Amino acid sequence: MKSSLFRSTAISLDLGLLLLRLAAGGAMLTHGWPKLQKALAGSTQFADPIGVGPELTLYLAILAEFVCSILVILGFATRVAVIPLIATMLVAFFIAHSADPFGVKEPAFVFLGIFTCLFLTGPGKYSLDNSIK
C-alpha cells in the first residue's frame, strides 16, 4: 500500500495548480509593473530584440507580463493567457539573454517551464475558467 505522502489526489493537484498560478503570475507582475509605469510616464525607450520597434516591444511586454499575469492569477482564459508569456520567455531566454551565462537567464527558463506546464494542464479547479464552464 502506498503512503499518502506519495499519492496525488484531485484536491492536491488543483491546489498545486492554484499555488503555481498565484506564485508565477505574482512574480511575473513584478516584471510587468515597472514596464507599465514606464509607459504611463511617457517613456517608450525599450530594447528591441525581435526587430519590431522598441515601442511595440514595450507594449507587447506589458501585455504579457502585466495583463496576462493577472489573467493567470485569476485562472481566466489561462491557456490563451500563457501563450504571450511563453513567447516572451522564449525571446528573453534565447534572444535577449542569449550571450549571458545561465544564471542570468535562469529566471526566463524557469518561467518558461511553468507557463508551458500551465498551458498543458490548464488552471485547475480553483479558477475562473473552471467556474464559467
Side-chain angles (χ1 to χ4, degrees):
M1 182 165 114
K2 287 185 185 177
S3 166
S4 62
L5 178 65
F6 300 106
R7 222 178 357 182
S8 291
T9 62
I11 194 166
S12 67
L13 292 173
D14 288 321
L15 284 173
L17 288 170
L18 173 63
L19 181 60
L20 188 65
R21 285 192 353 257
L22 294 175
M28 185 53 66
L29 274 177
T30 68
H31 296 274
W33 178 251
K35 292 175 179 80
L36 177 62
Q37 293 301 304
K38 178 180 183 143
L40 291 174
S43 175
T44 56
Q45 293 297 318
F46 198 68
D48 184 23
I50 57 173
V52 297
E55 187 173 3
L56 180 57
T57 302
L58 175 62
Y59 294 139
L60 290 171
I62 292 168
L63 173 70
E65 296 177 10
F66 186 77
V67 176
C68 291
S69 291
I70 292 172
L71 294 175
V72 167
I73 289 168
L74 296 173
F76 184 71
T78 307
R79 284 191 165 118
V80 174
V82 295
I83 293 171
L85 287 161
I86 290 168
T88 300
M89 294 304 101
L90 284 168
V91 169
F93 186 80
F94 289 107
I95 299 172
H97 295 291
S98 64
D100 292 338
F102 185 76
V104 172
K105 55 186 172 182
E106 182 179 8
F109 182 75
V110 171
F111 279 121
L112 176 61
I114 291 169
F115 294 132
T116 301
C117 286
L118 286 171
F119 179 79
L120 294 172
T121 63
K125 179 180 176 182
Y126 305 111
S127 65
L128 288 177
D129 286 346
N130 188 61
S131 67
I132 60 175
K133 279 185 181 181

